Amino acid sequence: MRVLLKASMDTEKANEAIRNGTLAKLIQESVEQIKPEAAYFTTDHGKRTAYMVFDMQDSSQMPVLSEPFFLHLGAEITYTPVMNMEDVQKGLSQLGR
């Protein structure tokens, strides 16, 4: 299932990760592990935030993908099922008329 992972990082923990040089490494390792089809980095409600869209094969992946953000960055994590245009078209074609 295609999923949007949103990781909003605690400002102080992310600041410390920048100071000690671990933020870039953590993000790189996470991207390599998650293998997102798209990854974006911005701010949301004043916090550094990562958005990654990827194919979650099994919900058991959630702890392994989330824990680095929780442990090192005090992040708030959400997972949201999402669709691309093909998925929307496929779903709409299955609606009864």
Side-chain angles (χ1 to χ4, degrees):
M1 174 184 296
R2 183 174 282 113
V3 174
L4 170 66
L5 164 67
K6 176 183 173 187
S8 294
M9 304 163 212
D10 174 77
T11 301
E12 286 307 313
K13 287 194 174 193
N15 286 348
E16 182 58 31
I18 288 171
R19 285 185 202 105
N20 67 30
T22 60
L23 183 62
K25 182 180 179 198
L26 175 72
I27 289 173
Q28 181 63 37
E29 289 172 351
S30 294
V31 167
E32 288 171 2
Q33 183 176 36
I34 294 169
K35 297 177 181 57
E37 65 183 60
Y40 300 97
F41 305 89
T42 187
T43 59
D44 185 45
H45 299 318
K47 294 184 177 182
R48 293 175 184 93
T49 303
Y51 293 95
M52 297 185 211
V53 177
F54 69 102
D55 184 29
M56 182 180 286
Q57 298 295 315
D58 190 273
S59 59
S60 65
Q61 291 177 268
M62 292 170 68
V64 106
L65 301 177
S66 301
E67 287 307 321
F69 289 105
F70 287 141
L71 291 171
H72 302 289
L73 299 171
E76 294 178 15
I77 306 287
T78 59
Y79 290 93
T80 306
V82 295
M83 297 181 284
N84 64 14
M85 184 56 92
E86 290 175 23
D87 297 332
V88 171
Q89 290 173 337
K90 181 178 177 183
L92 291 175
S93 73
Q94 296 174 19
L95 293 176
R97 294 181 189 231

